[in-house]
Amino acid sequence: MHTLKGFSMRARLGFGLVASMLPAVLLAQAPGAGGPPPKPLPLATARHATFSASKGTWISLDVSPDGRTIVFDLLGDLYTLPIAGGTATRVTSGMAFDAQPRFSPDGKKVAFVSDRSGGDNVWIMSLDLKDTTQLTQGNGNLHFSPRWAPDGKYIVDSRSPGLGGAAKLQMYHVDGGGGGGGGGGPPPPPGLKGLGAAFSPDGRYIWYAARNGDWQYNSILPQYQLARYDRHTGESSRMTARYGSAFRPEISPDGKWMTYGTRHRTETGLLIRDQASGEERWLAYPVQRDEQESRAPLDVLPGYAFMPDSRSVVASYGGEIWRIPVDGGAAARIPFTAPVQLDLGPEVKFSYRVDTSATLTARQIRNPVASPDGKRVVFTSLDRLYLAELPSGAPRRLDPSEVGQFHPTWSPDGKSIAYVTWGDASGGQIMKAAADGRGRAATPVALTRTPALYYNLAWSPSGTRIVATRGTARDYREVGNTLGAEFVWVPAAGGDAVLIAPSGSRDVAHFSSDTSRIYAYSPVEGLVSFRWDGTDVKQHLRVTGVPGVGGVPELEGDRGLVLPRRLSPWVAGEEGPPREGAQPPPPAGLVLMAPRGDLALVQAGTDLYTVTIPQVGGPVPTTS
């Protein structure tokens, strides 16, 4: 039995970012043992693409032990190429995706990853094309970066149980045979991921890149660090502490050099380390962009290799193949031309009619608001305001300017319309346009003097003031949120905005017939009202929806300029700890007071309700 042992306790205590690096490395079961061979890919070839390629992206390659030949992958097929460049020879074909090739130590075979069995597996192909063997079994795993041991008897790769699973280093005997786990050490953490194994020339050490977990959203560097596993002692040691991470190690055939990838500022480069002194310098910078932020489906960097004399490195970046001297000399391009003949599946194509006429039919309107007399309606479509006679008048532009126009509100006498504008460069303003009874619009004027993010306007019943929620243009433009927003009012004739109060969790200011108070809604407090200076806050009604259905409609992504609703998503638990054994019902998405102050309009989920507001004189009433 051949196994790689787990980490020692000494190794674990000193690792910091990657608390422990290497799982037990298991021998695979004999190829083909136990059951019929897997079925080939079910997708049939329906089309072909033939062309000549002299560049490619994410090319993984290796150099033969005699230094005469390069093997590389391109568009799911493998090719060989003379070390001086020239015309590449295709050595695999068909519907399968073949990638990440590596020469055997004797140069007669290539190991690679292919899905020709219906799922990812490691395969071994003789370069005389007389024999191709499936090394690993099963179609439910993902495999990455196979690598031959220097003695040619074993192959190590990284195997993941599927999408989202952290890949572990695995060892397979090339001739098959039984085998099992139990590397002799404590089990590794289940979330540990290891990629890109590279052997030392004597085969004792395996270098690799490791991280905690398969990947993460909004990842912060570092993500990977290098470790070195000792096949004699079963111990592993962390070998790097790079802020930009460390990945895809390669050891020179003479053992004097190690190269690896790292992120520096906004670019990825290859560093070279003198193994004796530990000194490092750039071998090539920048190179291919790494895949730290993704699941790295083809490793964090494409495969590359030292020349047999250890005096240069062959790698692909910028669409080309390069030979890079280790002494710091200029990289030399290795030109190639690949005669690509791709087998493709059936074309997936759907025909949709695209209307290219001068006018089009809008499929969605936003913020429709009827005039006080019910004869006209103003609304936003395609980020522009339109005015139309009800019930079926032709819409016409209210403001001819080419800027975003949202959240209209009518003056109480129906003669004017206020609305907000937004432009990423200039920010937004509160605007006003006069509209006569026939729907004609006059030249709009700006009511505010300071650019900001204004939204959810409400015209006071007296007609003298307009209330809005205001956030900073910078927060909205750069972060996309409205933290720190506040209620303000401006004179209906224009002027400086006057602060009412911070909005907090409240939004959507509106009025009843009582002009001394402003109403607003908060999922935490319910329907509230307050005076023009923000004082004397009163709660009027709380409404809850159905548990599991959700009360607050889609809030993320509308950037505050779609529907008149609060902008900051409600966070479950803001109302206090949940009741034991029960899921608390979610709050309604929006509650608006009726003009007479006796009813409320409620939006809960995708339904609308009217609710009577009882006068109880005690704690705020709650309606389900």
Side-chain angles (χ1 to χ4, degrees):
M1 176 180 292
H2 299 269
T3 60
L4 293 182
K5 296 181 180 179
F7 275 73
S8 68
M9 184 60 68
R10 176 188 63 79
R12 289 187 176 160
L13 292 177
F15 269 41
L17 172 68
V18 184
S20 55
M21 289 291 202
L22 186 65
V25 180
L26 309 180
L27 284 169
Q29 192 175 355
K39 295 181 180 180
L41 287 174
L43 194 62
T45 300
R47 297 173 297 150
H48 302 275
T50 302
F51 56 92
S52 180
S54 58
K55 290 188 177 183
T57 57
W58 206 271
I59 295 176
S60 286
L61 59 82
D62 194 18
V63 177
S64 62
D66 61 9
R68 296 180 179 180
T69 306
I70 297 172
V71 62
F72 67 93
D73 57 24
L74 182 69
L75 296 172
D77 290 333
L78 302 185
Y79 295 79
T80 57
L81 177 72
I83 191 64
T87 300
T89 301
R90 188 175 60 153
V91 293
T92 67
S93 60
M95 289 291 295
F97 188 88
D98 306 327
Q100 306 177 77
R102 285 288 177 176
F103 279 107
S104 61
D106 61 9
K108 296 180 180 180
K109 298 179 180 180
V110 169
F112 61 100
V113 176
S114 176
D115 63 357
R116 60 186 62 194
S117 66
D120 273 7
N121 276 293
V122 178
W123 293 72
I124 299 175
M125 175 185 63
S126 61
L127 287 177
D128 60 11
L129 306 183
K130 293 181 179 180
D131 184 37
T132 302
T133 304
Q134 182 177 342
L135 179 63
T136 62
Q137 302 299 314
N139 290 327
N141 298 317
L142 300 176
H143 292 266
F144 314 88
S145 305
R147 195 62 179 266
W148 296 80
D151 60 10
K153 296 179 179 180
Y154 298 94
I155 289 177
V156 169
D157 82 335
S158 298
R159 186 182 74 187
S160 164
L163 188 63
K168 311 290 185 183
L169 297 186
Q170 306 286 322
M171 179 175 280
Y172 312 90
H173 196 285
V174 296
D175 294 331
L192 190 70
K193 181 178 183 177
L195 286 178
F199 283 89
S200 61
D202 60 4
R204 176 173 177 174
Y205 298 104
I206 298 177
W207 291 73
Y208 61 98
R211 59 159 293 157
N212 288 319
D214 183 34
W215 76 302
Q216 68 183 76
Y217 280 108
N218 302 323
S219 55
I220 300 175
L221 296 181
Q223 292 292 305
Y224 291 86
Q225 297 295 353
L226 296 187
R228 185 181 65 185
Y229 181 81
D230 189 335
R231 296 174 69 196
H232 290 183
T233 66
E235 294 183 350
S236 185
S237 302
R238 178 177 172 178
M239 303 301 291
T240 61
R242 282 275 175 184
Y243 172 75
S245 296
F247 38 83
R248 262 299 189 183
E250 282 294 325
I251 311 299
S252 63
D254 62 9
K256 294 181 178 180
W257 305 102
M258 181 183 71
T259 56
Y260 64 93
T262 188
R263 185 85 62 83
H264 178 63
R265 295 180 179 175
T266 61
E267 303 285 354
T268 303
L270 288 177
L271 281 170
I272 184 166
R273 173 186 292 186
D274 185 321
Q275 294 282 65
S277 67
E279 293 297 320
E280 296 183 341
R281 55 181 168 81
W282 287 113
L283 176 70
Y285 178 86
V287 295
Q288 167 71 51
R289 174 75 173 188
D290 63 69
E291 283 279 359
Q292 291 189 66
E293 287 88 355
S294 79
R295 289 192 166 99
L298 295 173
D299 214 309
V300 191
L301 270 184
Y304 62 100
F306 274 90
M307 289 292 290
D309 61 6
S310 301
R311 297 173 63 181
S312 59
V313 171
V314 178
S316 173
Y317 53 88
E320 309 277 4
I321 299 176
W322 302 89
R323 185 169 177 171
I324 314 164
V326 299
D327 62 6
R333 186 172 68 93
I334 300 176
F336 73 91
T337 301
V340 178
Q341 295 180 356
L342 286 181
D343 293 339
L344 304 174
E347 183 178 14
V348 180
K349 181 180 179 181
F350 303 95
S351 297
Y352 295 95
R353 181 178 179 273
V354 177
D355 193 343
T356 59
S357 61
T359 61
L360 58 87
T361 300
R363 302 297 182 184
Q364 182 189 67
I365 65 171
R366 299 175 179 179
N367 308 122
V369 183
S371 60
D373 61 8
K375 296 181 179 181
R376 291 163 291 169
V377 63
V378 62
F379 59 89
T380 295
S381 180
L382 302 175
D383 288 352
R384 301 294 185 267
L385 279 179
Y386 289 85
L387 188 65
E389 301 295 317
L390 291 175
S392 57
R396 66 197 71 188
R397 290 284 301 276
L398 179 70
D399 180 347
S401 62
E402 294 304 313
V403 65
Q405 302 157 12
F406 311 93
H407 293 186
T409 180
W410 289 85
S411 62
D413 60 10
K415 295 181 179 180
S416 300
I417 297 169
Y419 55 97
V420 301
T421 61
W422 175 260
D424 286 339
S426 59
Q429 301 283 1
I430 298 178
M431 307 291 293
K432 182 176 72 172
D436 63 23
R438 293 183 296 277
R440 290 195 300 268
T443 302
V445 295
L447 301 184
T448 49
R449 296 171 178 173
T450 303
L453 173 68
Y454 300 97
Y455 52 95
N456 291 340
L457 301 188
W459 210 311
S460 69
S462 66
T464 59
R465 296 177 177 181
I466 298 170
V467 175
T469 312
R470 180 180 68 184
T472 65
R474 185 200 65 81
D475 282 344
Y476 185 66
R477 183 168 50 241
E478 297 181 11
V479 188
N481 65 40
T482 56
L483 297 175
E486 52 198 14
F487 292 117
V488 297
W489 66 267
V490 295
D496 293 328
V498 179
L499 175 65
I500 298 173
S503 60
S505 64
R506 306 166 188 161
D507 204 351
V508 193
H510 58 286
F511 294 90
S512 70
S513 56
D514 181 2
T515 60
S516 67
R517 304 189 66 82
I518 302 169
Y519 288 83
Y521 178 65
S522 163
V524 179
E525 303 169 290
L527 179 64
V528 301
S529 68
F530 44 86
R531 297 189 183 277
W532 284 89
D533 60 1
T535 62
D536 190 27
V537 178
K538 294 181 180 180
Q539 290 179 274
H540 299 276
L541 179 69
R542 295 179 65 180
V543 181
T544 61
V546 180
V549 175
V552 181
E554 295 293 335
L555 297 173
E556 303 248 21
D558 65 19
R559 288 179 62 94
L561 299 178
V562 179
L563 294 174
R565 56 173 77 143
R566 62 185 299 268
L567 301 176
S568 301
W570 171 74
V571 179
E574 284 184 341
E575 297 174 303
R579 294 169 295 175
E580 184 176 355
Q583 178 67 31
L590 182 64
V591 181
L592 300 175
M593 178 66 80
R596 289 195 300 268
D598 57 344
L599 294 174
L601 176 67
V602 176
Q603 181 182 14
T606 56
D607 295 322
L608 294 177
Y609 303 85
T610 55
V611 176
T612 299
I613 300 181
Q615 300 296 324
V616 295
V620 57
T622 299
T623 297
S624 172

